[in-house]
Amino acid sequence: MVDLLFSDGPASPDLVFGGTGTPPVIIKLGSSATLAAATSAGALRADARPLASGASVPGISSPIAVSRVPALAMAATTGAPLADLAIGYDNAVNRAPFRWAESGWQDAQRLSHFRRAAHRATPASETAAVVGIETAARRSAQVGTVWQPMTRGTRPLSHLPWRGGSPIEQRLADGWQQLYTWLRPSLRLVFSDGTPLPFAVSERWRELFRRPRPVLSVPWAIGVRRSTRVVSIAGLAVPRALALIIPWQEAGRPGHGVSPVPGDPPGPELYVASTALLFDDAMPVSLHLVFGRPHHPALPVADVVIPVLRTYLVINDVTLIRTANSLAMAPLSLSVMIDADSWVWGWEASLPGASLDDVLPSAPGEPVEFEATINGVNWLLLAEKVTRDRRFPQSRITVSGRGIAAELGNPYAASVSRNNLVDLTAQQVMAAALTVNGAGIGWSLDWQMTDWLVPAGAWSHTGSHIEAVTRIAEAAGGYVQASRNSKTLRILPRYPVAPWDWGGVVADFSLPAAATTRESIEWLEKPAYNGVYISGEGIGILGRVTRAGTAGDLLAPMIVDALTTHADIARQRGLAVLADTGPQQLLTLETPIFAGVGIYPVGSFVAFSDGAESRLGIVRSVAIKAALPTVRQTLEIECYE
């Protein structure tokens, strides 16, 4: 064995034997062969397996001598062995170790090493192969499938051993099917349509609408006017002379001497001297005084009666004053309005453009207070919005806002959380909502509803003063109306008396059609509920309110309120629900503001008469519009038949 010792040499691990410094010449060998075209006989199927072919390649020989290459064996196959190539190498040459002298290292040259393997990588160059098959001709193939997915849009063309069938009409018969109410399908039955026969359906009773009124058959008809002769046992009196004997005579000068003092003359029997004039009839108004009729007190028609006159004389007067400096303004128009669903008055005024500085606030965020007076009726108002409109040759400003009660809500009042830690009445809870840290803010309540007890912990609310007040009033079926000229809140029931009991109500105002300038009426039809459930929460109660004299079978939607803690509030809330049902009339009237009458407040009863026809209703909204020389107030009155 011979040991090779390398004490010094290049860093490359390659060993070079017999070299002279010149890199060996490497010759790459290659071979090529042409194969015959492949042919095939038979039908091809779409789902057939891939085809394989094999051929023998002639032997490859090389006339080139290769040296300094280890003996390798090479084989190439294209489906079968092609050729074997053997290269010999003689290493019986004594070659001493050699070290390159040029440098400590050198660039190695890439050498190709051939090894005998069962397969080899195909060279990048294209190789022509001759096979025993030829190029197949394209043929159409018929594909038969049992089924395949169909698309809704396009139906594929299939070549099947049978042709497409002709569409045949078919019917599907179901035991039953859903029928549409607007379209009835045609049915082919084994029998024909029957001839329609008239039939009558009789019911024990039915509910009749008040409009239109059905024809009523009564066992009597309109009576025929007949003359009636009255026979009196007394006829025209014959004037007769009546001798009167009186115990006194014309006074004369008393004679000389002493005479007794005469006493008071006796008066007629059963006569009481009086100068009082008694008027029993409120309408019609007449200047004739009738004496001698026995006095029988009659029921009052209304608290305020407007007579029927041929002419009404009204002198309109409109003023607008800024209360801070008592500055009088000259409004071109002024309007104020309120309704049952609004707790505060709203207003709007049009002024000349020169009044702009007089309506602007003295400090940012501070509203300006005005006092408006229309025909003797005054309001305290806050200006919250000012706009200007200039058009040649005039300039106008518009001032709008709300009444002084606006300070109880946004944006003037802060939102506060409130609750009751002890038992209180609803009126006490509402009064506590008008305080700040237990101190009053100057507002009082005009409570006109039934009060009830609110147990400790039943009341919880977060909001402004007026939001808490309206929340409590709503729980009892009521609403809030702010006074027009004072710091007072009126808490009113939506229906002081049930509409079916209005026959015994004395109206606050009696307004004839002669005193109105416009009349409009709208007929409404609401569900005829006769019962409703009112429920509380937690410590509340559950009550069923039913209209008296009914079965209470038509129930309104249930109302749930945490303040329903007593039977009285459940009854008040239920009355507000059941009263707003059935046929109604919304009467709109336009009338002047008469001296001594004023406006018709929301919640007041008005009896409107038009000849022999009369309607009684409750005022739901009032709007006053003044544009001199005309001043009108418009009322919306809720009436029931």
Side-chain angles (χ1 to χ4, degrees), residues 166-177:
S166 301
I168 298 177
E169 182 180 0
Q170 56 182 339
R171 297 187 182 89
L172 298 178
D174 296 334
W176 61 83
Q177 60 179 351

Side-chain angles (χ1 to χ4, degrees), residues 439-606:
I441 57 177
W443 284 82
S444 60
L445 297 175
D446 181 9
W447 185 275
Q448 301 184 24
M449 300 176 59
T450 302
D451 205 355
W452 74 96
L453 182 65
V454 180
W459 164 247
S460 177
H461 182 267
T462 301
S464 61
H465 302 290
I466 195 62
E467 290 175 347
V469 171
T470 55
R471 169 69 182 86
I472 299 173
E474 181 186 7
Y479 60 100
V480 181
Q481 291 284 283
S483 175
R484 51 184 170 81
N485 54 10
S486 64
K487 291 188 174 183
T488 303
L489 297 177
R490 301 170 60 213
I491 313 302
L492 306 175
R494 189 165 291 271
Y495 291 93
V497 181
W500 48 85
D501 294 332
W502 282 4
V505 172
V506 177
D508 299 307
F509 300 91
S510 177
L511 179 62
T516 60
T517 58
R518 186 176 70 90
E519 173 195 358
S520 174
I521 186 170
E522 178 184 0
W523 282 268
L524 304 175
E525 191 73 33
K526 294 188 177 181
Y529 297 129
N530 54 19
V532 63
Y533 281 97
I534 309 296
S535 174
E537 295 180 359
I539 58 178
I541 66 169
L542 174 63
R544 178 180 179 180
V545 183
T546 304
R547 178 175 172 177
T550 65
D553 52 344
L554 298 177
L555 295 177
M558 184 177 181
I559 297 178
V560 180
D561 197 306
L563 291 179
T564 306
T565 58
H566 197 274
D568 292 341
I569 180 180
R571 185 180 183 278
Q572 285 188 106
R573 187 69 177 270
L575 175 60
V577 174
L578 300 182
D580 190 19
T581 58
Q584 302 178 12
Q585 297 175 359
L586 186 60
L587 182 63
T588 303
L589 301 176
E590 187 178 274
T591 178
I593 299 180
F594 297 106
V597 178
I599 64 173
Y600 302 82
V602 174
S604 60
F605 283 95
V606 175

Side-chain angles (χ1 to χ4, degrees), residues 187-193:
L187 302 177
R188 295 186 180 180
L189 305 176
V190 296
F191 47 85
S192 61
D193 296 338

Side-chain angles (χ1 to χ4, degrees), residues 260-535:
V261 179
D264 295 333
E269 296 181 0
L270 302 178
Y271 174 77
V272 178
S274 177
T275 58
L277 302 180
L278 302 179
F279 302 94
D280 291 338
D281 296 334
M283 292 179 65
V285 177
S286 175
L287 298 179
H288 300 287
L289 303 180
V290 180
F291 300 94
R293 178 184 299 178
H295 176 66
H296 300 286
L299 294 176
V301 177
D303 296 338
V304 178
V305 178
I306 301 177
V308 178
L309 302 176
R310 296 182 60 184
T311 304
Y312 295 90
L313 181 60
V314 180
I315 301 176
N316 296 321
D317 182 28
V318 180
T319 60
L320 184 64
I321 299 175
R322 181 168 179 169
T323 58
N325 54 2
S326 300
L327 177 64
M329 316 294 291
L332 302 175
S333 64
L334 176 63
S335 60
V336 290
M337 69 291 296
I338 195 173
D339 55 60
D341 297 323
S342 301
W343 51 270
V344 65
W345 286 86
W347 72 287
E348 182 177 283
S350 178
L351 300 169
S355 305
L356 179 60
D357 295 337
D358 299 331
V359 300
L360 293 178
S362 56
E366 180 181 352
V368 181
E369 181 177 322
F370 289 90
E371 181 180 6
T373 305
I374 303 176
N375 289 11
V377 184
N378 67 322
W379 291 265
L380 292 179
L381 308 170
L382 297 180
E384 299 178 295
K385 183 179 180 181
V386 179
T387 59
R388 183 178 66 178
D389 184 11
R390 292 191 297 182
R391 300 180 184 181
F392 182 82
Q394 62 182 3
S395 177
R396 295 285 186 269
I397 61 173
T398 301
V399 185
S400 60
R402 296 176 291 175
I404 57 175
E407 67 182 21
L408 299 177
N410 295 326
Y412 308 107
S415 181
V416 180
S417 297
R418 304 175 178 85
N419 52 29
N420 64 320
L421 302 179
V422 297
D423 294 349
L424 297 173
T425 63
Q427 189 173 354
Q428 291 173 334
V429 174
M430 187 177 294
L434 297 176
T435 62
V436 175
N437 295 329
I441 57 177
W443 284 82
S444 60
L445 297 175
D446 181 9
W447 185 275
Q448 301 184 24
M449 300 176 59
T450 302
D451 205 355
W452 74 96
L453 182 65
V454 180
W459 164 247
S460 177
H461 182 267
T462 301
S464 61
H465 302 290
I466 195 62
E467 290 175 347
V469 171
T470 55
R471 169 69 182 86
I472 299 173
E474 181 186 7
Y479 60 100
V480 181
Q481 291 284 283
S483 175
R484 51 184 170 81
N485 54 10
S486 64
K487 291 188 174 183
T488 303
L489 297 177
R490 301 170 60 213
I491 313 302
L492 306 175
R494 189 165 291 271
Y495 291 93
V497 181
W500 48 85
D501 294 332
W502 282 4
V505 172
V506 177
D508 299 307
F509 300 91
S510 177
L511 179 62
T516 60
T517 58
R518 186 176 70 90
E519 173 195 358
S520 174
I521 186 170
E522 178 184 0
W523 282 268
L524 304 175
E525 191 73 33
K526 294 188 177 181
Y529 297 129
N530 54 19
V532 63
Y533 281 97
I534 309 296
S535 174

